[in-house]
């Protein structure tokens, strides 16, 4: 099954999450989208669950020469999280990527300031946090996000994506209380091939979605 676009994927993911939530007693849910691509998906989930929407900015650390291939990630002020197997295969150490981490940390702060517009980050303690992205390939970005949220002591931590690599989803089940994926695949080389429309989401689109959610919420 392919998705028309992120909005449609979000509606289908929301329907699955409504079924899951109906069978659980999860307290005080909040939906966090991973910018930028996860935010349109998360908006549909938040609308269906009648839950507040916010963002968790995570930045991927790309492989030298192929920045789209994630070998690490950062979230908040946490230390960078690296894929140790990838570093070993590439003959790299964390010190070799220090400048990449600094650059991505600066971009993380820029986006946080841009998206929040002075709004404080939500208090996640004791809440059901549903972390949403548009897909899950290597899992390194999602793992950094999950560990950042876990440090805030939520009651329940759920990772929800329309499409995922089976092995990555299995590994991330150890970092979350539940992984919800509509379309698991053994060999997921690129998330975008499962969408008819996978155009890049802009900063302005993220801002508009968040401002609309806060206005109606």
């Amino acid at each position: 099954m392919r998705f028309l676009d992120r909005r449609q994927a979000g509606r289908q993911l929301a329907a699955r999450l409504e079924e899951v939530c109906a069978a659980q007693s999860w307290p005080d849910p909040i939906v966090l989208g991973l910018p930028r691509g996860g935010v349109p998906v998360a908006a549909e989930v938040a609308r269906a669950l009648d839950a507040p929407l916010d963002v968790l900015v995570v930045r991927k650390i790309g492989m030298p020469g192929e920045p789209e291939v994630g070998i690490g990630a950062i979230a908040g002020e946490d230390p960078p999280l690296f894929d140790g197997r990838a570093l070993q295969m590439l003959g790299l150490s964390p010190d070799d990527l220090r400048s990449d981490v600094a650059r991505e940390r600066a971009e993380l702060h820029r986006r946080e300031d841009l998206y929040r517009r002075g709004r404080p980050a939500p208090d996640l303690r004791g809440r059901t946090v549903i972390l949403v992205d548009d897909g899950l390939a290597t899992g390194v970005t999602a793992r950094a996000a999950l560990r950042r949220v876990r440090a805030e002591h939520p009651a329940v931590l759920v990772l929800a994506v329309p499409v995922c690599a089976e092995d990555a989803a299995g590994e991330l089940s150890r970092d979350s209380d539940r992984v919800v994926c509509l379309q698991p695949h053994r060999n997921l080389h690129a998330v975008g091939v499962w969408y008819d429309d996978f155009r890049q989401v802009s900063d302005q689109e993220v801002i508009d979605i968040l401002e609309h959610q806060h206005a109606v919420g």
Side-chain angles (χ1 to χ4, degrees):
M1 177 180 69
R2 289 171 59 84
F3 303 105
L4 176 62
D5 56 20
R6 291 180 178 89
R7 291 284 190 174
Q8 185 208 39
R11 290 190 290 272
Q12 293 188 27
L13 183 60
R16 175 71 61 83
L17 284 165
E18 284 181 301
E19 294 175 359
V20 174
C21 290
Q24 306 290 331
S25 298
W26 288 344
D28 196 14
I30 181 171
V31 178
L32 298 183
L34 296 186
R36 293 180 287 203
V39 175
V41 184
E44 298 297 332
V45 172
R47 184 177 297 110
L49 299 181
D50 194 24
L53 172 69
D54 215 297
V55 293
L56 177 63
V57 182
V58 182
R59 294 297 297 168
K60 176 171 60 181
I61 308 300
M63 185 171 74
E66 293 190 52
E68 290 305 311
V69 179
I71 58 174
I74 54 172
E77 296 303 316
D78 293 350
L81 176 68
F82 289 107
D83 182 334
R85 289 174 295 184
L87 290 186
Q88 186 175 22
M89 288 177 59
L90 294 167
L92 295 172
S93 72
D95 281 347
D96 294 327
L97 298 165
R98 187 177 300 172
S99 62
D100 300 81
V101 171
R103 182 180 65 251
E104 295 302 335
R105 186 89 69 185
E107 177 62 13
L108 184 152
H109 291 153
R110 183 195 74 82
R111 292 195 185 197
E112 284 183 334
D113 292 343
L114 184 65
Y115 300 154
R116 292 202 179 284
R117 300 290 181 95
R119 292 187 298 265
D123 184 0
L124 304 179
R125 181 180 293 271
R127 305 184 73 171
T128 297
V129 178
I130 303 174
L131 195 66
V132 177
D133 204 357
D134 54 12
L136 175 66
T138 65
V140 66
T141 303
R143 177 169 284 111
L146 288 167
R147 291 187 179 183
R148 173 87 296 276
V149 173
R150 186 66 83 185
E152 300 296 321
H153 306 290
V156 181
L157 178 53
V158 179
L159 175 64
V161 291
V163 59
C164 67
E166 285 183 351
D167 56 349
E171 291 177 5
L172 289 172
S173 64
R174 297 194 293 267
D175 295 288
S176 61
D177 298 306
R178 182 76 176 261
V179 176
V180 177
C181 175
L182 298 180
Q183 290 287 321
H185 297 278
R186 287 185 180 178
N187 298 304
L188 184 74
H189 299 296
V191 169
V193 302
W194 296 98
Y195 288 83
D196 292 334
D197 178 359
F198 199 65
R199 73 187 72 180
Q200 186 175 20
V201 177
S202 68
D203 282 337
Q204 189 58 52
E205 185 175 352
V206 172
I207 293 167
D208 291 345
I209 290 171
L210 293 173
E211 291 190 345
H212 174 76
Q213 177 71 15
H214 283 280
V216 301

